[in-house]
Amino acid sequence: MSAEMPAAPAEVPVPLAEGLESTREAWEKATAAVLRKTRKLAEDAPDSDAWATLTTTTLDGIEVTPLGTPELTSGLPPTGLPGQAPFTRGTEALRENRAWDVRSWFTDPDGQRTADEVVTDLENGVNSLWLTLGTDGVPTDSLAKVLEPVFIDLAPVVVQDLHDPLGAARALVAVIEDKAVQAHHGCNLGVDPVGTAVRARLDLGGGETDLGVAVEAARLALPLGIGAIVVDGTAVHDAGGSDVQELAYLLAAGATYLRVLTEAGLTVDEAAGLLEFRIAATDEQFPTIAKFRAARRTWARVAELSGVAESGRGQRQHGVTSRPMMTSYDPYVNMLRTTVASFAAGVGGAAAVTVLPFDEPLGLPEAFSRRIARNTSGLLIGESHVAKVTDPAGGSHLVEQLTDDLARAAWAGLAELDGSGLEDGGGVLEALDLVAERILATRDARGLLVAKRAMPLTGVSEFPNLHEEQPERRPYPTAPAVFRYAHEFEAMRDDRVATPVFLATMGPIAAHTARATFAANLFAAGGIDTVAAGATSGVDEVLAAYDGAPVVCLTGHDSAYAEWGTDLVAALREAGASYVVVAGKADVGADDSVVAGLDALAFLRRTREELAS
């Protein structure tokens, strides 16, 4: 797998809007004017600085520009047509019914309840099933009952059991044979020993990691004309990996399975036909769209180098809305996250999309959350008509550039794994230490963004409702192992502080409300309640409202800080305050300050220690 991706031709400048009145300079001028009003751009900064101000950089170091222009794509290689190599624009020329499979996830250990949920989902828009079996989900011996009403020749079924993958595989094979029909080609026995090894290496659960399992599953699947292996990229994503790390892992794991299966006697075309790729979809819309497209392009290259016939190089993709992006607090916001994620996966060309229920972090989903999950894809397909065209993002300068950037970065990541022993016999299993090292580094980088709220988590790090009542759900038999982005904030919320912080609001409401709201939201994100003094006009009125709390936060206008802030801090200390915080950068003799961009997690830990002392 050391061959390089085809090089892009030299970049040729192309006018932004040839023949139209709009120009790049006009956009820069209009955008810069808005940025100056919001103080995101200095008054004396050139208009062209609007690009740098609005450009974001992913954890992989890939820039996402605010506007796609022809200059971005003028030097890119051809993307081909849908259904043709390199399959950037889709594995099929026209998707069946021009839509993706709406695939529901089932994990309830109550076999009868799962059977009822399967019928309900199939009658209401779902057309494929994904079942977690065994000790982590649906009892394997209940599978025949669960699938009894399912037309398995019409509705693809994918099973998964990390601990006994062959047991789950044989159970599905038995159901197919008992029904005596030709199973849908989209069915898959769902074994993935490589993915299980990754999860075990990163302390996200263990299971069967013997590559021989893949061979056994292949021998079961081939006579039935169904898939055998799910190359599960969510193993990397759930552990905290980045988009590029997930893509590079998918390529390495897929190549490992091709090698193992061909060494066992299968042709390379047979081996490639047994694979399905599971990819995480996040609420970062454009990077997610580009990720699915880049995955197909790079896998087509791996398949080409492996000798797979061109017709078999298309990658069958199962998109799953991200578990790490979900939050247990204010869980209804998860509906917004999963809507964007499912849209991006569908537009990106996934053959099947699973929208996880919004209450997934809390426990087993209920009827309402299951309905919302399946209806999300239904509305996108049936009412928003997102699937009316193949590759709707094709031709977008921004998406095409992102696709190329991700593909090239993923290929470089594959080369790095190559250098760590990918071709030395054990495949990607020989490179697990490097995979783990890269993922842990990404965890740290993302964690810093979350801590500084540069990566805001609505309802948790931003706009938290400290007094919300979370929905109650039945517990999982084994909770899905995942490294959630919000886990540090949520741990504080789980352990709320009994003593509130006193907000020493200075001046009338109009003068202090902005900083008081900012501070109260920040404290609430750390499980800390606040009590405010209200409208005040001086030190005596603040002291009259002071309740003796050990931690006090001054919130007011800069002019109030300059006029009587120092006196107020001294008076509060004399009245019993042991730790004084100021909202802003004023020098009033405070112990700490609250400003935009601070490490919120570190600040909240300090505050909680002071409240507990």
Side-chain angles (χ1 to χ4, degrees), residues 364-451:
L364 292 168
E366 299 292 323
F368 172 69
S369 55
R370 296 194 65 84
R371 177 168 65 86
I372 295 298
R374 65 175 178 262
N375 284 355
T376 300
S377 278
L379 290 170
L380 288 170
I381 294 168
E383 295 195 17
S384 298
H385 305 296
V386 171
K388 279 292 185 183
V389 296
T390 302
D391 189 27
S396 161
H397 299 302
L398 175 60
V399 172
E400 297 293 3
Q401 177 64 53
L402 272 176
T403 299
D404 188 72
D405 287 344
L406 281 169
R408 293 182 182 281
W411 199 259
L414 175 62
E416 188 178 23
L417 294 177
D418 264 347
S420 186
L422 187 60
E423 295 182 340
D424 293 342
V428 71
L429 294 178
E430 299 294 330
L432 284 186
D433 286 344
L434 180 61
V435 171
E437 177 186 331
R438 295 293 184 262
I439 291 173
L440 292 175
T442 299
R443 273 192 196 178
D444 291 342
R446 184 189 292 106
L448 184 60
L449 294 177
V450 171

Side-chain angles (χ1 to χ4, degrees), residues 2 70 118 136 298 434 531 573 588:
S2 58
V118 164
D136 294 342
T298 49
L434 180 61
V531 176
R573 291 192 191 282
V588 293

Side-chain angles (χ1 to χ4, degrees), residues 192 194-195 198 232-233 235-236 245-254 417 428:
D192 183 25
V194 176
V198 171
D232 193 353
V236 167
Q245 288 163 353
E246 183 182 359
L247 288 175
Y249 164 76
L250 285 169
L251 299 177
L417 294 177
V428 71

Side-chain angles (χ1 to χ4, degrees), residues 218-234:
R219 290 171 176 157
L220 290 171
L222 273 176
L224 300 175
I226 63 174
I229 297 166
V230 172
V231 188
D232 193 353
T234 67

Side-chain angles (χ1 to χ4, degrees), residues 187-228:
C187 290
N188 198 299
L189 303 182
V191 306
D192 183 25
V194 176
T196 304
V198 171
R199 293 183 188 276
R201 176 64 179 79
L202 288 152
D203 300 322
L204 293 182
E208 180 58 69
T209 61
D210 180 6
L211 289 175
V213 167
V215 176
E216 291 300 315
R219 290 171 176 157
L220 290 171
L222 273 176
L224 300 175
I226 63 174

